[in-house]
Amino acid sequence: MTNMKRTTYCGLITEQYLHQEVTLAGWVNKRRDHGGLIFVDLRDRAGIMQIVFNPDFDKQAHATAHELRSEFVILVKGKVIRRDDKLINKNIATGEFELQVTSLTILNKSKALPFALDEDLADEDTRLKYRYLDLRRPEMQKKLQLRNDILFTTREFFHKDGFIDVETPILTKNTMEGAREFIVPSRVHEHNFYSLPQSPQMYKQLLMAAGFDKYMQIARCFRDEDLRADRQPEFTQLDLEMSFIEEDDIIGVIDNYIKTLLKKVSNIDVQIPFKRISYDYAFSNFGSDKPDLRFDLKIQDFSSLFINTELKFLKTVVANGGKVGGLHVSGKVYSRSELLAWVDAAVKFGAKGLLWIRFNEDCKHESPVSNFLPDNFFEQVKEICPTLQAGDTIFLIAGEYEDAWTLLGRLRLELAQDLKIIPEHELNFSWVVDFPMFEYNKDDKRWYSKHHPFTSPQAGWENLEQKDIKARAYDIVLNGVELGGGSIRIHDSVIQKKIFNMIGMTDEVAQNYFDFLLESQELGYPPLGGIAIGIDRFVMLLTGSKSIREVIAFPKNQRGYDPMMKAPSEVEEQKLELYRLKYLPKKNK
């Protein structure tokens, strides 16, 4: 082992090191043998530096360099020189310079890798099995570096703004807070379990009761739920809570935080305050409570055209209180096969059907239901869509309002992607406010909290039907992805008990799960509110990644499994006995 110490990183060699002797360490990215000269691209997390082995510099180093292969870990010493003008590599930051090696130490050799680091590997499980290799790739290191910068800037911003960083427990109480929880058996307390927190919600509210009026935490959270591109069983969020505030205070803090963050880590200027839209506006126009506002393409209500239609299935939907919604596509003339493909696509994501109506160059309607449409149907549609013109198409979905509009929202995104009308590099932030307080589940035949049961209702809620009550809740949305959400909390135990009752929770159940909260609300509990921002999602969107797995160092795959650690894994029955647990027969798959 050598006593040489690294002088700097490969990617940081600049004019200041010219004609100086330096020591570099890293991985062999590429090796090129030109007979008397051997060139190596040496890589570390800061970048690449070309190093040159020449027997005139050092015979031993040159002889040893013949052994080098990709991903060998080496330490080199030598003098930095400037390359000839015609040999400058403008594709890398250090392309003007190279290192004349006078000493080489091979710190570790490498077998042939299971995949090349410069190839786009489609098999995600292979990448995750060898995640430590996958993370050597410069694009992955840049993503994690950006994540690091975001976390550092976040703590710096909130520290300056007077927030106190408090760590809350990972082992906590099982609650009725929302999604399924991971449970952890207790060895000491027989037949009892901890839960891993879905969020620090209860603790941060109690911190407000303790007098810490500005709390923040970069919190690890856990949810045992089905996975998708923007979900993991464990994730990281920025968690905030404040006392003696209202909605505008929280929203203002987050607007300033995001503006400061983007300028510092990406040199991006955004205009604040971010726009605010109501939940009702978002859903009626875009079929989503997290609309992508980078493009227009609003949902239109065509129900009035089918009140007296000869199309019985549409007439029945409207007569029964349902709606007929549609999307107007202009500037694209669809072939019949393309239209049929969109019908198939809509069925695949849950629609019972999709009706298309195309207007030809004479503004005559062409559709599977043309025989049932009036001659002046173009004029009727134009009253709803003033920009309608020859060659345009409308796509219609009918059903109960929420179901039909949700499907139209999905279709809207699919059409926009196909039409290539989404500005990929735009960051469009918006706040969605005035959420419903409750949502009704037809299967369970009961009401649930739209956000969580600690959310405060808007003034006047006592005199409204449950379906009409609005919450003091707010979500921040970026490019059609919910970046975070929060609310003003209930700080009165009487109101809290009433809200618990309205979602079917008896006083006995509420006392069992939330006695600590209800009691704290009777011992000097301040008005409060907060928000949580998904760090993984934020980094995913800023880096243009397709999944949060791309911006988490060691994620689980789409099945919640870690191919590298082979987790989760079975536990020996002897260990289970310590926790008074025993395996049941496996379910038939």
Side-chain angles (χ1 to χ4, degrees):
M1 189 69 180
T2 179
N3 290 323
M4 291 191 295
K5 294 188 69 174
R6 180 168 62 179
T7 305
T8 186
Y9 287 96
C10 296
L12 301 183
I13 295 295
T14 59
E15 190 87 22
Q16 66 174 316
Y17 293 104
L18 192 59
H19 305 306
Q20 291 188 28
E21 190 173 71
V22 300
T23 300
L24 302 176
W27 286 260
V28 173
N29 196 59
K30 286 184 180 179
R31 172 184 173 275
R32 303 178 298 280
D33 194 335
H34 291 185
L37 299 177
I38 297 174
F39 294 88
V40 168
D41 290 340
L42 188 62
R43 185 192 73 244
D44 60 20
R45 70 179 175 90
I48 288 175
M49 177 68 180
Q50 178 173 282
I51 62 176
V52 186
F53 296 90
N54 185 326
D56 293 341
F57 306 153
D58 189 276
K59 291 183 179 179
Q60 182 59 49
H62 180 264
T64 306
H66 284 90
E67 302 176 29
L68 298 180
R69 298 294 182 269
S70 292
E71 299 309 304
F72 275 31
V73 185
I74 64 174
L75 187 77
V76 294
K77 184 178 180 180
K79 185 169 71 172
V80 177
I81 65 167
R82 193 185 301 277
R83 298 194 204 183
D84 291 340
D85 289 345
K86 59 183 179 181
L87 298 178
I88 290 174
N89 182 354
K90 296 182 179 180
N91 295 321
I92 59 175
T94 61
E96 280 188 60
F97 311 102
E98 63 186 22
L99 187 75
Q100 295 180 336
V101 179
T102 56
S103 176
L104 164 65
T105 303
I106 297 176
L107 300 174
N108 210 335
K109 298 182 178 181
S110 174
K111 300 186 297 184
L113 302 188
F115 56 87
L117 300 186
D118 58 356
E119 69 181 33
D120 187 11
L121 191 66
D123 182 8
E124 186 178 61
D125 274 3
T126 301
R127 290 180 58 196
L128 294 182
K129 181 179 179 180
Y130 298 98
R131 186 63 162 182
Y132 49 90
L133 296 179
D134 189 44
L135 291 176
R136 288 183 193 173
R137 298 190 295 125
E139 59 266 35
M140 295 301 295
Q141 297 205 343
K142 286 178 183 176
K143 289 176 180 179
L144 290 189
Q145 181 63 56
L146 178 65
R147 184 188 180 103
N148 170 77
D149 295 343
I150 287 173
L151 293 177
F152 178 82
T153 303
T154 296
R155 286 193 168 95
E156 184 180 50
F157 175 89
F158 287 103
H159 178 75
K160 288 181 179 178
D161 202 19
F163 283 76
I164 298 174
D165 190 342
V166 182
E167 294 178 339
T168 53
I170 294 297
L171 294 176
T172 184
K173 178 183 174 62
N174 173 258
T175 68
M176 301 177 68
E177 196 176 320
R180 286 189 300 271
E181 297 174 321
F182 288 100
I183 60 173
V184 181
S186 170
R187 179 183 58 81
V188 176
H189 303 280
E190 291 187 16
H191 295 189
N192 283 268
F193 297 82
Y194 299 104
S195 281
L196 303 184
Q198 298 179 49
S199 78
Q201 184 66 44
M202 291 292 86
Y203 289 108
K204 66 180 183 179
Q205 291 190 209
L206 294 171
L207 282 168
M208 297 302 102
F212 296 94
D213 64 313
K214 281 186 170 185
Y215 144 91
M216 69 83 61
Q217 182 182 186
I218 304 296
R220 297 291 288 168
C221 304
F222 307 85
R223 293 183 186 176
D224 187 8
E225 57 187 8
D226 297 333
L227 305 184
R228 55 192 188 204
D230 61 354
R231 283 185 181 171
Q232 278 279 289
E234 53 181 314
F235 56 95
T236 305
Q237 68 184 33
L238 163 63
D239 205 60
L240 302 179
E241 199 77 7
M242 301 169 67
S243 299
F244 310 109
I245 48 86
E246 296 183 344
E247 291 90 331
D248 287 350
D249 299 299
I250 297 273
I251 289 173
V253 166
I254 296 301
D255 280 357
N256 281 305
Y257 158 65
I258 290 176
K259 181 176 180 63
T260 301
L261 178 72
L262 291 178
K263 182 62 179 177
K264 189 159 188 177
V265 304
S266 299
N267 198 29
I268 296 173
D269 283 308
V270 292
Q271 296 299 312
I272 58 172
F274 299 135
K275 69 177 78 68
R276 299 187 199 183
I277 59 175
S278 70
Y279 170 90
D280 291 340
Y281 178 87
F283 193 78
S284 64
N285 285 278
F286 308 107
S288 173
D289 60 2
K290 45 182 180 295
D292 191 338
L293 302 181
R294 290 176 293 174
F295 60 99
D296 201 22
L297 195 59
K298 293 180 180 178
I299 298 171
Q300 304 288 341
D301 187 348
F302 292 97
S303 305
S304 61
L305 302 185
F306 300 99
I307 294 174
N308 298 310
T309 182
E310 294 181 37
L311 292 165
K312 290 185 179 179
F313 71 98
L314 293 182
K315 186 175 183 178
T316 301
V317 167
V318 176
N320 290 337
K323 287 183 175 289
V324 181
L327 293 161
H328 165 216
V329 176
S330 188
K332 164 74 175 178
V333 179
Y334 289 101
S335 67
R336 188 174 182 84
S337 62
E338 287 175 321
L339 292 167
L340 292 175
W342 278 112
V343 174
D344 291 340
V347 171
K348 285 180 181 176
F349 61 65
K352 293 180 179 178
L354 176 69
L355 178 60
W356 55 267
I357 301 172
R358 177 179 58 190
F359 296 98
N360 64 22
E361 57 190 17
D362 297 320
C363 298
K364 300 297 183 184
H365 49 73
E366 300 173 347
S367 172
V369 297
S370 278
N371 293 338
F372 301 94
L373 298 175
D375 292 338
N376 68 338
F377 192 68
F378 179 86
E379 286 73 24
Q380 291 182 8
V381 174
K382 195 171 179 65
E383 289 185 10
I384 297 172
C385 304
T387 59
L388 184 71
Q389 56 188 358
D392 291 359
T393 302
I394 58 172
F395 295 95
L396 302 175
I397 292 178
E400 292 187 17
Y401 172 63
E402 289 193 0
D403 296 338
W405 257 244
T406 298
L407 292 167
L408 285 164
R410 292 194 61 180
L411 180 63
R412 173 181 180 264
L413 292 174
E414 298 279 349
L415 285 170
Q417 290 170 3
D418 182 68
L419 294 168
K420 295 180 172 56
I421 60 173
I422 305 176
E424 293 185 359
H425 301 295
E426 178 182 327
L427 295 178
N428 192 307
F429 292 91
S430 61
W431 287 97
V432 179
V433 298
D434 298 331
F435 277 84
M437 184 76 178
F438 305 102
E439 56 186 354
Y440 188 74
N441 186 295
K442 290 179 288 187
D443 296 329
D444 295 349
K445 293 183 172 55
R446 55 162 289 195
W447 291 94
Y448 288 88
S449 296
K450 184 72 173 177
H451 276 72
H452 54 59
F454 321 111
T455 299
S456 181
Q458 292 186 8
W461 65 277
E462 302 92 337
N463 303 316
L464 298 174
E465 292 186 33
Q466 195 157 344
K467 66 181 178 62
D468 297 324
I469 299 173
K470 298 292 186 181
R472 297 182 68 181
Y474 34 82
D475 283 0
I476 185 164
V477 178
L478 171 58
N479 296 353
V481 176
E482 179 194 329
L483 197 59
S487 64
I488 301 300
R489 324 301 188 189
I490 297 168
H491 66 279
D492 183 299
S493 65
V494 174
I495 297 176
Q496 184 66 78
K497 289 175 184 177
K498 286 182 180 178
I499 298 301
F500 283 155
N501 292 160
M502 292 175 76
I503 59 172
M505 194 185 302
T506 65
D507 290 342
E508 182 181 2
V509 171
Q511 194 66 31
N512 181 45
Y513 280 97
F514 300 110
D515 61 323
F516 58 90
L517 174 66
L518 295 169
E519 186 171 22
S520 70
Q521 289 173 338
E522 297 173 350
L523 295 170
Y525 196 91
L528 71 167
I531 193 170
I533 303 288
I535 295 295
D536 310 304
R537 290 182 182 181
F538 202 2
V539 182
M540 176 187 78
L541 292 167
L542 291 181
T543 58
S545 301
K546 294 180 179 179
S547 163
I548 63 171
R549 296 187 294 277
E550 289 294 307
V551 298
I552 297 173
F554 298 101
K556 309 296 185 289
N557 65 15
Q558 296 181 63
R559 300 179 303 280
Y561 181 72
D562 182 346
M564 182 178 66
M565 293 291 189
K566 297 182 174 60
S569 58
E570 290 191 353
V571 175
E572 295 89 341
E573 291 197 19
Q574 282 183 313
K575 287 186 179 180
L576 290 181
E577 288 177 2
L578 293 173
Y579 300 93
R580 300 295 190 266
L581 297 175
K582 188 175 182 179
Y583 284 120
L584 291 175
K586 289 185 177 180
K587 293 181 180 179
N588 293 325
K589 294 184 179 179

